[in-house]
């Protein structure tokens, strides 16, 4: 069964450093998403991406964040200068279409720890 | 801010019990609705979509009341493997961002 994969599974970084989280969405999917979940809290939407551009972003997704699809398979989330409060689980998701009823499939997540 | 609210839980039930979870959403323009389950420190996984007419998948039944902006999930004959956090998810914007509720944790006890 096709699945979304993410690397690394755990990333530890120093405050102020840049991190890049990587995702490989399901191959025939066209819509890509990043979510985060701070420990013990709810899953929060960050950004959606379609046709090589951001289609929607939340207020969390400020200038420190960027996304990119550098090739035909990877979808990355970059945090330019990490803060302690960026520590969270980051989930990538993809869907085949952009309509309301398209299921989003989630990757296993990258746990980001900012020290 | 538009929100999705759920029963705070946790729910601790014996095997074989029937348990119901409730969810309310504040954005009347919400388009579609889902129940996801999340095991501890894992990713959310789709349990079922919620259709206007209500739908059933084995032991799981989902209901939607658009007028009351209310969604429910009923689990019959609960199993130990049903222990997880159940997330109510609302799609507000035609397939773009999902809005997640805080989740209700279920523990099924032997």
């Amino acid at each position: 069964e096709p699945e979304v994969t993410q690397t690394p599974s755990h990333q530890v970084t120093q405050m102020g450093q840049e991190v890049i989280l990587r995702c490989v969405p399901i191959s025939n999917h066209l819509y890509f998403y990043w979510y985060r979940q701070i420990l013990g809290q709810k899953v929060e939407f960050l950004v959606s991406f379609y046709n090589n551009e951001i289609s929607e972003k939340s207020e969390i997704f400020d200038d420190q964040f960027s996304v990119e699809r550098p090739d035909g398979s990877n979808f990355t989330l970059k945090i330019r200068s990490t803060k302690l409060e960026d520590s969270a689980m980051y989930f990538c998701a993809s869907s085949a279409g952009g309509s309301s009823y398209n299921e989003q499939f989630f990757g296993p997540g990258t746990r980001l720890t900012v020290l | 801010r538009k929100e999705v609210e759920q029963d705070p839980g946790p729910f601790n039930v014996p095997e074989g019990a029937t348990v119901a979870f409730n969810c309310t959403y504040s954005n009347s323009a919400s388009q579609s609705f889902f129940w996801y389950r999340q095991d501890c420190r894992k990713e959310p996984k789709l349990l079922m979509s919620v259709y206007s007419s209500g739908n059933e998948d084995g032991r799981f039944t989902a209901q939607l009341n658009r007028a009351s902006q209310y969604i429910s999930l009923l689990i019959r004959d609960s199993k130990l493997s049903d222990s997880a956090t159940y997330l109510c998810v609302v799609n507000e914007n035609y397939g773009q961002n999902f809005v997640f509720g805080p989740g209700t944790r279920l523990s099924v006890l032997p």
Side-chain angles (χ1 to χ4, degrees):
Chain A
E1 186 178 322
E3 57 184 19
V4 177
T5 58
Q6 290 185 243
T7 54
S9 57
H10 191 188
Q11 173 89 51
V12 181
T13 190
Q14 296 288 327
M15 191 170 57
Q17 295 297 304
E18 175 184 285
V19 293
I20 298 176
L21 310 183
R22 302 180 192 281
C23 168
V24 179
I26 293 173
S27 63
N28 62 343
H29 283 186
L30 301 175
Y31 294 80
F32 315 114
Y33 313 85
W34 282 102
Y35 292 83
R36 79 169 186 192
Q37 186 175 31
I38 295 170
L39 187 64
Q41 298 187 24
K42 63 183 179 182
V43 178
E44 299 174 290
F45 169 76
L46 293 178
V47 66
S48 58
F49 191 86
Y50 169 69
N51 200 26
N52 279 319
E53 59 183 34
I54 290 172
S55 42
E56 187 169 352
K57 60 183 180 179
S58 71
E59 57 199 25
I60 301 169
F61 193 89
D62 61 22
D63 292 344
Q64 292 299 312
F65 291 88
S66 62
V67 289
E68 193 177 32
R69 189 153 161 83
D71 53 43
S73 59
N74 289 285
F75 178 51
T76 62
L77 174 69
K78 182 194 290 187
I79 309 175
R80 251 178 285 281
S81 177
T82 49
K83 306 192 248 322
L84 295 177
E85 55 264 37
D86 293 328
S87 294
M89 183 74 96
Y90 288 80
F91 293 110
C92 173
S94 69
S95 63
S99 77
S100 307
Y101 283 93
N102 277 115
E103 176 187 352
Q104 293 186 16
F105 293 81
F106 285 75
T110 293
R111 180 176 307 282
L112 176 65
T113 302
V114 182
L115 303 175
Chain B
R1 174 159 167 71
K2 309 299 184 186
E3 292 289 345
V4 176
E5 303 291 340
Q6 294 186 240
D7 290 331
F11 283 49
N12 299 312
V13 303
E15 266 186 294
T18 294
V19 60
F21 301 131
N22 300 314
C23 170
T24 57
Y25 59 95
S26 59
N27 185 352
S28 59
S30 295
Q31 297 299 316
S32 53
F33 312 90
F34 306 87
W35 284 101
Y36 275 71
R37 70 171 274 168
Q38 185 175 30
D39 294 292
C40 190
R41 296 179 182 264
K42 300 284 191 182
E43 73 272 25
K45 291 189 175 175
L46 180 69
L47 182 65
M48 58 198 304
S49 302
V50 186
Y51 302 121
S52 296
S53 54
N55 48 300
E56 188 174 309
D57 183 2
R59 298 181 293 109
F60 300 86
T61 301
Q63 297 280 348
L64 168 64
N65 184 324
R66 283 188 185 269
S68 302
Q69 296 179 203
Y70 168 88
I71 307 155
S72 66
L73 176 69
L74 184 77
I75 305 176
R76 288 181 300 278
D77 188 24
S78 51
K79 314 284 185 201
L80 296 176
S81 57
D82 293 334
S83 297
T85 296
Y86 288 83
L87 308 174
C88 177
V89 183
V90 173
N91 186 322
E92 297 189 334
N93 190 23
Y94 291 101
Q96 299 305 307
N97 64 306
F98 276 10
V99 180
F100 281 77
T104 302
R105 197 163 81 196
L106 171 67
S107 292
V108 181
L109 307 172

